[in-house]
Amino acid sequence: MIAARERLMGWGRFPAIEGLVERPSTIEQLRARVLSGRSLIARGNGRAYGDAALNELGTVSMLRFNRLLDFDVGTGQLVCEAGVLLDELLDVFVPRGWFPPVVPGTRFVTVGGMIAANVHGKNHPAAGAFGNHVAWLDLITADGELVRCSSTTRSELFAMTLGGMGLTGIVVRACLQLRRIPSAYLLRRRIVAADLATTLAAFQSNSTSSYAVAWIDCLARGRSSGRALVDVAEHAELADLPANLQEQPYYVPARRSLSLPFTPPFSPLNSLTVRGFNACHFRLGRMSAAVALPDFKIGRASCRERVCSVV
């Protein structure tokens, strides 16, 4: 088993520790590591916000457990190892018309990490958390036993593992329920909410929407306190798409991203810069807003529905 001391942190970059990172590749190596009695925690791709999966004495990386094991095209059930990234699932299954029922705000998390945190998505009121769509999982417990648990078999252990942050054992593989989607695109409506009351009313009025999310200006004050850009969306049917997309409804253009190749010596974020950014973002969002609800007096809005990629 590969092992080396490394600098570890989460997505928030704090805290950062120096710890022993071990990279097993077999069940036997995992069981031996558990039975050694030395302290450990399993780790996915390190995208947790805080101090999850950091252990100076032994952080066990699951990224070498990254195989897709089985997929039933009739039921949509996928069996995969815990180190498979959501990014990989989307790349493989969206072009085939399948999508995870719940996805968090980043593609770069592992299946094991999503189970450990029981992540939620922008459709939480309708779909619940990620664990609602896990049929079963295989777990190595503290005594080295490989256990398969589900809502009907070892149900208490199963329930504790969903959201258990890796404290019940090491998730090795899982069976996930994927859902059929009519295309790789969403129909999005934007609601410009002038204050917190309007923001909350927008969510309440769209409680049956498949997806709903808000960008909220938390620095706005006075009458604008809680102002937001609320987006609600549904999976686009074939007939909803323009002609060029109807020919390839599951085609997703290559992603473009920008990144800063170094860490600045000081943070550019302060109340002044964030307040200015928020003001610009809100104004631009209001200008590009899609369909507005008629019972909201929320400023400028066009009558266009926007089609955007689901990934």
Side-chain angles (χ1 to χ4, degrees):
M1 178 169 57
I2 301 172
R5 295 199 67 81
E6 298 180 15
R7 184 171 175 80
L8 292 170
M9 64 187 76
W11 185 84
R13 304 178 67 83
F14 181 86
I17 68 167
E18 296 289 335
L20 180 65
V21 179
E22 300 164 87
R23 302 182 184 278
S25 59
T26 67
I27 297 291
E28 290 72 22
Q29 289 176 344
L30 276 176
R31 294 187 65 192
R33 177 62 181 86
V34 170
L35 291 172
S36 70
R38 293 186 290 116
S39 177
L40 69 88
I41 191 69
R43 179 178 172 90
N45 203 35
R47 288 303 193 275
Y49 286 103
D51 59 353
L54 303 178
N55 188 324
E56 295 179 357
L57 302 178
T59 299
V60 177
S61 171
M62 295 297 292
L63 292 180
R64 298 178 74 184
F65 287 81
N66 60 353
R67 295 177 298 172
L68 303 177
L69 302 175
D70 185 56
F71 181 66
D72 188 327
V73 72
T75 64
Q77 286 198 333
L78 166 69
V79 179
C80 65
E81 292 182 324
V84 172
L85 292 176
L86 174 60
D87 180 64
E88 296 164 337
L89 293 184
L90 296 176
D91 284 346
V92 170
F93 289 101
V94 169
R96 292 166 171 79
W98 295 93
F99 192 67
V102 172
V103 295
T106 172
R107 304 166 59 106
F108 302 106
V109 290
T110 62
V111 168
M114 289 191 287
I115 291 172
N118 200 14
V119 297
H120 69 277
K122 306 303 186 289
N123 57 346
H124 190 66
F130 187 78
N132 291 20
H133 310 280
V134 177
W136 53 260
L137 58 86
D138 287 345
L139 185 76
I140 296 180
T141 57
D143 58 3
E145 182 183 5
L146 180 62
V147 177
R148 177 161 295 182
C149 54
S150 68
S151 59
T152 57
T153 303
R154 302 289 294 268
S155 58
E156 186 176 0
L157 178 61
F158 181 70
M160 290 190 295
T161 301
L162 300 176
M165 299 305 290
L167 300 182
T168 60
I170 300 177
V171 178
V172 177
R173 65 179 73 92
C175 177
L176 314 177
Q177 181 64 58
L178 303 187
R179 60 167 294 185
R180 270 285 189 189
I181 53 174
S183 73
Y185 296 88
L186 296 173
L187 280 178
R188 187 185 73 182
R189 294 186 295 117
R190 170 158 289 175
I191 303 162
V192 182
D195 51 40
L196 182 59
T198 311
T199 299
L200 297 177
F203 276 105
Q204 187 172 16
S205 297
N206 289 275
S207 60
T208 59
S209 297
S210 294
Y211 301 96
V213 62
W215 172 89
I216 301 177
D217 184 356
C218 294
L219 293 182
R221 295 293 181 264
R223 294 170 58 185
S224 297
S225 180
R227 66 182 180 182
L229 303 173
V230 182
D231 289 328
V232 295
E234 303 291 342
H235 286 276
E237 300 289 340
L238 192 63
D240 297 322
L241 301 178
N244 63 315
L245 293 181
Q246 289 185 14
E247 296 176 0
Q248 294 180 300
Y250 298 108
Y251 169 73
V252 179
R255 301 186 303 276
R256 297 179 181 178
S257 62
L258 297 175
S259 62
L260 196 63
F262 63 92
T263 300
F266 62 91
S267 174
L269 302 179
N270 55 59
S271 60
L272 183 63
T273 58
V274 174
R275 194 181 300 275
F277 171 84
N278 285 1
C280 292
H281 186 72
F282 183 77
R283 286 184 173 86
L284 290 173
R286 183 173 59 189
M287 292 171 61
S288 64
V291 177
L293 293 184
D295 53 338
F296 291 152
K297 295 180 180 178
I298 50 181
R300 295 169 54 183
S302 69
C303 291
R304 294 183 298 108
E305 285 193 318
R306 300 192 63 185
V307 178
C308 55
S309 169
V310 81
V311 292

